[in-house]
Every structure is written in structure tokens, then in C-alpha cells.
Amino acid sequence: MADREKIIRYFRAGGDEQLAAKLLDLAEAAHKSRKFRVSEFLDPHAYNVAEIIAANFDSIRLEADGGFQNAERVKVAFVAEDFYGKPDFGMAYFLASWDKRYYDLSHRDILGAFMGTGCKREALGDIVFVPEGAQLVVEKTLVNYLTSNLTQIGAAPVTLTPLKQEELLQKEEKVKLINATVADLRLDAVAAAGYGVSRSRMADEIKSLNVKVNWKEAKKAAQPVVEGDIISFRGRGRVEVTEIKGTTKKGRISVTLKRFI
């Protein structure tokens, strides 16, 4: 059995104590029942926490599923090694459709409407736009509730049609490469270059907790970024720090950023 207190201490410094405790409960329950326990939908950072926790159990393996082949948000199953069945991840799939001649809906619109029904963020997986509307992966227990309550997004009347998992399309992301120079590798400077806003505005957004680095809330505009970091700005998508090239003749730092549109 894993040392619970040691694991909790490890995650406490990074502010992930509550998340780790919740995932530990699932791992311990899977170990005791010799079956499996499934989490809510996790972002990539929370998934990394789950991986570390599973690695502390000799008799537990970790499986993940987010519906879509390349899902960003997934559910994890802590599975006892001697359980030979297939874990039930408890997911359901919908096509949300609306009249695109009159309404242009965004990811933020759909997420806001979902949470506006009283459902929590962790009950929703990825949202992928398709020609007919958007495909959603949700907690299976919410199927009847959402069918009755998610009937409008913004001003747009919406129809939810159940899908099978094999009908989900692979998510295609549009990417824009940005070559920029920044005064330093502080978060506010790099994020401002990636999103095309002023540094002072980005500093304000960071202070308002609207910016995350590697799916964790950024607390300081001055925190440094490194190659491979993923910056996300609420409602504006993600930026990856692809390459830090070095210093220019004018003393600025040349970077390549990948903006996911």
C-alpha cells in the first residue's frame, strides 16, 4: 500500500493537495476492491498527478479515456492488476447542433451554457467543432438532465443528439507559428507576444487568475517560462513555447511560439 501522507506532502508544496487526496481515495478504493475506480474529467496537469499516484501502487495500473482519440481532457481509471475486465469510464457523447446561418458559437459559449445548467466543469470532457455543430463528451449520469436542460446556448436554440463513441471525430487544431522577441522570459512578456496584447494587460490578466501555465493557475507575472511550457489564457486558447533561440544584437530574446487557434 502506498504511503498516503508522504504522497500528500509531495503535492502540498505545489498546491495540489486536494486533487491528490481525491485521486488517492480512488486508487486506494481500487486496491481494496481489487476492481477499478474512475475519476472525473482531468486536464493534462491533473492527469500527471494521477500518473504519479498510480506509480506509488505496486498493484494498480492507470488507464485513460476521453472519448476522442487525441482527447486533452480524460477520465482515468485506477485498475487493480488482477482485474481482467474492461473499466467502464461512464461517458456519454452528444452532437450539439444549431442554425449556423444565424448563430456563431464558440468553445467558451458552450462551456458557459453547460456550467449554466448547474453542471461542474469536471463533468465535461473535450468540445470538438464539426460541420454540424459541436461534439461533446460528458458524464454519463447527466444524459437525461442535459437533454432536458441544455436547450439553448446564448441566444441559439440547440438540439442534443446522442452519439456512439465511434462517431466522434478526431480533433483538428489550427496552429499559428509566431516568431517574436521579448525583453525577458517572464510570463507576462512571453504571453503578451503569443496573444498579441500589451504586457501591462497580460500582467493584469495574470493577477486576475485568467492565465495558466501547464494547466496550473499562474500567480505571478514575473514567473519564468521555459521551452515546452503551455500557456493558456481564458477564452483565448493556448500558446506553446516551442523554442528559445537566444539573444539578439539589441539584447532581446528571440522565441518561437505555437498558438493553437
Side-chain angles (χ1 to χ4, degrees):
M1 196 73 167
D3 186 334
R4 184 183 180 92
E5 286 307 313
K6 183 179 178 181
I7 295 171
I8 293 294
R9 279 200 307 273
Y10 174 81
F11 286 107
R12 185 172 292 141
D16 291 318
E17 181 180 356
Q18 289 186 333
L19 170 63
K22 188 184 295 187
L23 294 172
L24 263 170
D25 288 344
L26 296 176
E28 289 171 352
H31 173 78
K32 290 176 183 177
S33 69
R34 300 177 71 176
K35 293 182 181 179
F36 66 88
R37 292 293 185 272
V38 176
S39 73
E40 300 172 309
F41 286 97
L42 306 178
D43 63 25
H45 170 70
Y47 174 76
N48 289 339
V49 174
E51 280 190 311
I52 294 169
I53 288 172
N56 279 273
F57 287 79
D58 294 333
S59 59
I60 292 292
R61 69 179 186 271
L62 194 70
E63 296 185 19
D65 194 350
F68 297 99
Q69 287 183 16
N70 55 344
E72 180 176 287
R73 295 178 62 81
V74 299
K75 284 185 160 196
V76 299
F78 294 95
V79 187
E81 284 293 352
D82 52 359
F83 177 78
Y84 296 106
K86 186 176 180 181
D88 179 2
F89 285 90
M91 296 186 294
Y93 321 100
F94 282 116
L95 170 67
S97 52
W98 59 91
D99 194 331
K100 291 192 171 184
R101 295 174 299 174
Y102 305 110
Y103 305 102
D104 184 18
L105 300 182
S106 66
H107 183 284
R108 188 175 187 176
D109 294 329
I110 296 173
L111 176 58
F114 177 85
M115 295 180 69
T117 66
C119 297
K120 57 185 180 179
R121 179 68 179 94
E122 293 79 10
L124 175 65
D126 285 359
I127 300 168
V128 173
F129 286 88
V130 296
E132 302 81 11
Q135 294 182 337
L136 318 175
V137 181
V138 303
E139 180 68 47
K140 194 173 185 177
T141 56
L142 295 177
V143 167
N144 292 335
Y145 180 79
L146 288 173
T147 302
S148 300
N149 291 277
L150 188 57
T151 57
Q152 188 167 320
I153 298 176
V158 170
T159 300
L160 291 185
T161 305
L163 298 173
K164 296 178 181 178
Q165 185 169 1
E166 53 266 29
E167 295 179 275
L168 297 178
L169 300 180
Q170 187 161 339
K171 183 166 57 175
E172 294 184 10
E173 291 186 301
K174 296 179 181 178
V175 174
K176 177 183 179 183
L177 283 180
I178 300 168
N179 292 302
T181 62
V182 293
D184 49 52
L185 293 175
R186 284 172 42 131
L187 174 60
D188 56 351
V190 176
Y195 291 102
V197 301
S198 70
R199 187 167 176 172
S200 60
R201 182 199 164 176
M202 186 53 65
D204 289 340
E205 296 288 354
I206 294 166
K207 188 175 181 180
S208 299
L209 303 181
N210 289 327
V211 178
K212 293 183 178 182
V213 178
N214 300 326
W215 293 275
K216 292 192 71 176
E217 278 184 354
K219 300 291 174 59
K220 295 180 180 179
Q223 75 180 66
V225 297
V226 298
E227 282 187 7
D229 278 350
I230 303 291
I231 303 167
S232 51
F233 177 14
R234 185 171 296 169
R236 298 286 297 274
R238 292 176 288 123
V239 166
E240 178 183 339
V241 183
T242 306
E243 186 180 4
I244 298 171
K245 298 178 179 179
T247 307
T248 67
K249 292 180 179 179
K250 294 184 177 181
R252 291 175 66 83
I253 301 169
S254 179
V255 298
T256 299
L257 310 173
K258 188 185 292 182
R259 172 89 180 269
F260 296 87
I261 303 170

